[in-house]
Amino acid sequence: DVKVLVDRPTEVLVQRLPCEIEHDGPAAVRNAFDPLVEEEDGINGTTMRSLYRGRRLRGKDLPLPETYTGIVMKELKAAKSDQQARELTVRDTFKKRRYWNLETLPSDNDAVIQALHVIELAKTVHVPLTQAQVDAALKHPALSSSNHSHSSLAADASHSGSASPRRSPRKHKHAEDE
């Protein structure tokens, strides 16, 4: 069981850095990472560049889909077993997130961007269809059984003595036949 409390969250900018931090606990992140960001226009739209500990970062803001709000949660009470409820509180919300690559420009091939495409795909897959849409789809030429392309395999037992399928001979029209 999970109990979620909402306590006047504030809107924040969530950032994803290309590094691993071997720490599990409180940290004064706002004091440690407040980069000087320079914007630059390129073929992939507006991107940002910055430095973190002397390494060049290239970043981009990714808005969440219009009807989504991201949340940042804090665990108030950890569960000591699977049977015990966890208590979480919503600390902050966000409408966009900024992700950073080490050295390379952000691109549509980045896993972070691909993850947002999955949200759009899930919405498309899970939208209920009306009966009229189902009927129209079933009448589509690609789905009708009378229109399926059949193989040119034919059973011809008269020549081989067996009923195994073989290709029917095709007549080709040559230019000199006309």
Side-chain angles (χ1 to χ4, degrees):
D1 252 4
V2 177
K3 181 180 178 183
V4 178
L5 307 170
V6 179
D7 182 34
R8 296 189 185 165
T10 58
E11 189 160 327
V12 295
L13 174 62
V14 173
Q15 300 192 59
R16 180 186 170 275
L17 295 172
C19 62
E20 184 176 326
I21 299 171
E22 295 184 17
H23 176 71
D24 186 15
V29 176
R30 286 182 177 95
N31 297 336
F33 183 67
D34 188 17
L36 174 62
V37 175
E38 297 177 20
E39 290 188 1
E40 56 188 359
D41 292 323
I43 58 171
N44 290 334
T46 301
T47 60
M48 287 155 273
R49 68 178 170 214
S50 187
L51 295 173
Y52 180 67
R53 303 185 83 181
R55 307 278 310 263
R56 184 166 45 160
L57 299 176
R58 307 300 286 269
K60 184 172 187 164
D61 284 342
L62 298 174
L64 295 179
E66 198 172 300
T67 58
Y68 285 73
T69 298
I71 59 173
V72 179
M73 301 180 87
K74 179 180 179 181
E75 189 166 40
L76 298 175
K77 181 180 171 187
K80 304 217 187 291
S81 73
D82 290 344
Q83 310 307 316
Q84 189 177 13
R86 297 173 65 186
E87 287 187 22
L88 305 169
T89 184
V90 176
R91 297 281 306 246
D92 301 304
T93 63
F94 58 96
K95 287 293 198 177
K96 69 178 179 180
R97 57 191 240 184
R98 180 173 293 163
Y99 83 100
W100 296 97
N101 285 338
L102 193 58
E103 306 289 335
T104 60
L105 281 170
S107 79
D108 288 340
N109 295 325
D110 291 338
V112 174
I113 292 178
Q114 293 296 318
L116 289 178
H117 293 311
V118 170
I119 293 172
E120 292 301 316
L121 177 63
K123 284 193 318 191
T124 302
V125 170
H126 295 287
V127 170
L129 297 176
T130 65
Q131 188 60 47
Q133 290 171 315
V134 172
D135 293 342
L138 291 174
K139 290 178 184 173
H140 192 275
L143 296 177
S144 89
S145 61
S146 63
N147 215 10
H148 282 153
S149 139
H150 294 288
S151 171
S152 63
L153 294 176
D156 186 358
S158 63
H159 295 289
S160 64
S162 70
S164 63
R166 70 174 200 192
R167 291 209 175 270
S168 299
R170 294 185 183 199
K171 295 188 179 189
H172 297 285
K173 200 175 214 181
H174 295 284
E176 56 268 2
D177 292 341
E178 294 181 358

